[in-house]
């Protein structure tokens, strides 16, 4: 039976600019799963407040998938920081849409705690089964990354939501354990569903031509970073790592992502690179459209993921699908998706010198022609969004059996 699924992605849009402050893996997750569900004949409405592209209220995204821009009285986008106060208004708008469309949803799936709070309003008004994916857990983020400070509002709400929602969906077993530990959530309330990768988009391209097209030298040893420029991503220690590797001929760090050259974070990274005397070895490539990323992954010799915390870490899966090895900290799904010593390395120590040794090991393998892109890709070909979607659908169905809604 086809389902009517409502997804809340309130602070970040599935068609927002990936790689900027509030738009990353969560948007890809919502977009790709909705696309898969739509392909299978289910009807999905995704609700967001984020509308940087000034799209119409309702956008037909894919077969059976609509994106609805809620506004309430907000008149334009509200920043993530101020959004909490507007949630009752946004709920009013969500309710009006549902009534006007005369639609009954079978399941409600919220993404991130702000959507979770909005979702609980709908949960009690609609008497619907409500699943929540945190994407990041504030308490864990704060504990793992020294410079991150989370508001009491977020921490309190995340704890409350764990009790109120019908179920929680996480991307790794590790995340499930965090939730049991921090929020005392019972195991049977949490479902682990790994993320996927679009294997048609992310595939190995010819390295020399990828480098030529992007303007990088064929002789470089290219270390790539892809992601938001956020403290949690460990960018400072990546720069320190590169500072330890200047003896490698042609060493180049290419940093994709961020909100542009005029932002404080960009300037901070630039001055850190200068302080480490590696400014000539670092290229800040800015935000790149996802369709162009396979060129970057294929051009690179290694993807570096130096994060303090990830709920999954999509970029690693994308790089591996493009045949590029990954050197990473032990965050998110990394220990599962990176075959240590075969498709990359998982660091056992947070010291940049250790991270540097692992990148140097990739450099050595490169000299010995030791890494085959097709073998690296083969290690992740089971990780499709179709697999994630069918697991999630199972979770939707079993969540709702108890309520005899589906
Ligand atoms: N991304 C992109 N362009 C950029 C930077 C990132 O398309 O300039 C995408 C990347 O392909 C990945 C996502 O943003 O799918 C980042 O997801 P990840 O899980 O690695 O990090 P998160 O944003 O969840 O912290």
């Amino acid at each position: 039976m086809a389902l009517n699924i409502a997804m809340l992605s309130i602070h970040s849009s599935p068609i927002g600019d990936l790689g900027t402050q509030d738009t990353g893996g969560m948007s890809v997750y919502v977009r790709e799963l909705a696309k898969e569900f739509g392909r299978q004949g289910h009807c999905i409405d995704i609700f967001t407040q984020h509308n940087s592209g000034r799209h119409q209220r309702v956008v037909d995204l894919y077969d059976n998938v609509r994106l609805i821009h809620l506004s309430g009285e907000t008149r334009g986008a509200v920043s993530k920081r101020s959004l909490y106060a507007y949630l009752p208004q946004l709920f009013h708008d969500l309710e009006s849409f549902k009534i006007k469309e005369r639609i009954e949803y079978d399941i409600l799936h919220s993404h991130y705690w702000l959507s979770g709070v909005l979702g609980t309003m709908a949960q009690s008004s609609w008497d619907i089964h409500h699943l929540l994916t945190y994407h990041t857990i504030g308490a864990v983020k704060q504990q793992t990354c020294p410079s991150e400070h989370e508001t009491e509002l977020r921490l309190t709400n995340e704890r409350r939501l764990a009790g109120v929602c019908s179920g929680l969906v996480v991307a790794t077993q590790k995340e499930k354990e965090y939730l049991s530990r921090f929020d005392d959530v019972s195991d049977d309330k949490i479902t682990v569903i790994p993320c996927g990768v679009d294997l048609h988009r992310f595939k190995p391209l010819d390295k020399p031509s990828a480098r030529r097209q992007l303007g990088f030298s064929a002789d470089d040893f290219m270390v790539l970073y892809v992601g938001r420029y956020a403290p949690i991503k460990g960018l400072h220690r990546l720069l320190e790592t590169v500072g330890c590797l200047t003896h490698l001929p042609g060493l180049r760090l290419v940093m994709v992502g961020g909100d542009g050259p005029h932002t404080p974070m960009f300037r901070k990274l630039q001055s850190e690179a200068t302080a480490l005397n590696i400014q000539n070895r670092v290229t800040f490539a800015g935000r790149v459209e996802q369709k162009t990323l396979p060129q970057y992954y294929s051009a690179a010799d290694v993807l570096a993921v130096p994060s303090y915390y990830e709920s999954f870490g999509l970029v690693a899966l994308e790089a591996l699908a493009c045949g590029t090895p990954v050197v990473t900290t032990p965050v998110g799904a990394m220990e599962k998706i990176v075959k240590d010593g075969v498709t990359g390395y998982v660091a056992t120590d947070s010291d940049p010198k250790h991270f540097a040794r692992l990148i140097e090991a990739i450099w050595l393998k490169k000299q010995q022609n030791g890494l085959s892109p097709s073998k690296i890709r083969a290690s992740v070909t089971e990780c499709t969004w179709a697999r994630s979607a069918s697991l999630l659908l199972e979770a939707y169905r079993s969540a709702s059996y108890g309520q005899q809604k589906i």
Side-chain angles (χ1 to χ4, degrees):
M1 190 184 111
L3 302 181
N4 283 335
I5 302 166
M7 286 195 184
L8 305 182
S9 175
I10 216 69
H11 81 281
S12 174
S13 168
I15 53 170
D17 289 342
L18 293 173
T20 57
Q21 204 177 10
D22 292 328
T23 311
M26 182 185 121
S27 298
V28 176
Y29 183 95
V30 171
R31 182 189 81 191
E32 293 298 323
L33 287 171
K35 199 195 292 176
E36 281 297 332
F37 290 150
R39 224 177 252 161
Q40 294 174 22
H42 303 287
C43 294
I44 300 91
D45 282 343
I46 308 169
F47 296 89
T48 190
Q49 179 272 339
H50 184 94
N51 193 356
S52 60
R54 297 206 171 79
H55 299 285
Q56 291 184 336
R57 177 159 166 90
V58 180
V59 178
D60 287 320
L61 276 192
Y62 311 108
D63 286 349
N64 304 319
V65 181
R66 298 188 294 184
L67 176 66
I68 297 103
H69 293 96
L70 299 178
S71 63
E73 304 282 302
T74 56
R75 307 250 177 276
V78 175
S79 74
K80 182 165 123 186
R81 202 175 275 255
S82 327
L83 198 51
Y84 182 80
Y86 291 92
L87 293 177
Q89 283 187 32
L90 293 172
F91 174 63
H92 185 71
D93 198 12
L94 170 65
E95 186 90 301
S96 313
F97 179 85
K98 180 177 168 286
I99 292 168
K100 193 164 155 257
E101 294 281 312
R102 296 187 188 167
I103 187 162
E104 287 301 323
Y105 294 108
D106 298 301
I107 197 96
L108 174 65
H109 189 170
S110 301
H111 298 273
Y112 196 69
W113 74 273
L114 284 163
S115 294
V117 174
L118 181 65
T120 56
M121 298 176 197
Q123 184 181 351
S124 49
S125 170
W126 304 349
D127 185 26
I128 191 172
H129 218 86
H130 176 206
L131 297 183
L132 168 67
T133 303
Y134 288 109
H135 291 275
T136 55
I137 304 167
V140 182
K141 189 174 169 192
Q142 185 161 278
Q143 202 192 51
T144 48
C145 180
S147 56
E148 292 280 6
H149 177 74
E150 288 304 327
T151 60
E152 201 44 48
L153 183 69
R154 174 176 181 178
L155 299 177
T156 313
N157 269 293
E158 284 190 338
R159 273 194 300 272
R160 182 179 72 82
L161 288 168
V164 175
C165 291
S166 332
L168 302 170
V169 176
V170 295
T172 64
Q173 184 62 29
K174 204 188 286 172
E175 202 81 341
K176 181 169 178 170
E177 282 155 23
Y178 281 147
L179 279 177
S180 313
R181 198 151 25 101
F182 281 100
D183 291 336
D184 207 15
V185 186
S186 70
D187 270 9
D188 55 2
K189 203 171 176 179
I190 313 170
T191 311
V192 181
I193 294 175
C195 296
V197 62
D198 179 345
L199 293 168
H200 300 291
R201 168 165 284 180
F202 294 102
K203 52 187 171 203
L205 303 174
D206 178 60
K207 195 185 285 295
S209 32
R211 285 203 176 181
R212 221 175 308 115
Q213 278 161 16
L214 297 174
F216 296 115
S217 155
D219 303 327
D220 279 355
F221 178 66
M222 181 173 157
V223 180
L224 178 68
Y225 167 83
V226 177
R228 296 175 294 114
Y229 283 10
I232 202 166
K233 295 291 183 178
L235 298 177
H236 174 68
R237 61 185 184 194
L238 180 57
L239 293 176
E240 285 190 343
T241 297
V242 169
C244 302
L245 288 170
T246 48
H247 57 283
L248 295 184
L251 176 73
R252 170 142 310 277
L253 172 65
V254 177
M255 298 186 66
V256 167
D259 295 73
H262 304 298
T263 54
M265 186 63 169
F266 180 90
R267 289 208 201 98
K268 184 165 175 272
L269 290 171
Q270 218 171 20
S271 63
E272 281 175 2
T274 307
L276 289 160
N277 200 22
I278 53 168
Q279 68 277 17
N280 296 332
R281 295 179 182 271
V282 184
T283 303
F284 292 98
R287 200 184 87 69
V288 169
E289 289 294 332
Q290 207 184 40
K291 61 177 187 302
T292 312
L293 279 181
Q295 271 181 308
Y296 278 85
Y297 289 129
S298 301
D301 291 300
V302 59
L303 178 82
V305 182
S307 307
Y308 290 96
Y309 170 46
E310 292 284 341
S311 57
F312 187 86
L314 286 179
V315 289
L317 212 44
E318 292 165 359
L320 295 168
C322 291
T324 302
V326 174
V327 169
T328 175
T329 44
V331 291
M334 299 303 162
E335 293 102 317
K336 281 252 175 236
I337 60 179
V338 177
K339 310 276 172 269
D340 204 33
V342 182
T343 64
Y345 293 100
V346 181
T348 51
D349 185 327
S350 59
D351 186 349
K353 288 196 196 83
H354 170 65
F355 210 75
R357 277 195 292 277
L358 300 181
I359 290 182
E360 188 159 357
I362 298 283
W363 178 83
L364 257 177
K365 279 189 191 255
K366 185 185 176 189
Q367 310 312 305
Q368 300 156 352
N369 279 335
L371 288 162
S372 142
S374 55
K375 278 197 188 139
I376 294 176
R377 176 177 167 86
S379 71
V380 295
T381 43
E382 280 178 9
C383 307
T384 60
W385 284 114
R387 178 191 65 165
S388 311
S390 64
L391 291 170
L392 187 54
L393 210 59
E394 239 173 74
Y396 286 173
R397 290 200 191 279
S398 63
S400 298
Y401 280 145
Q403 298 198 339
Q404 297 186 329
K405 283 191 182 300
I406 295 176

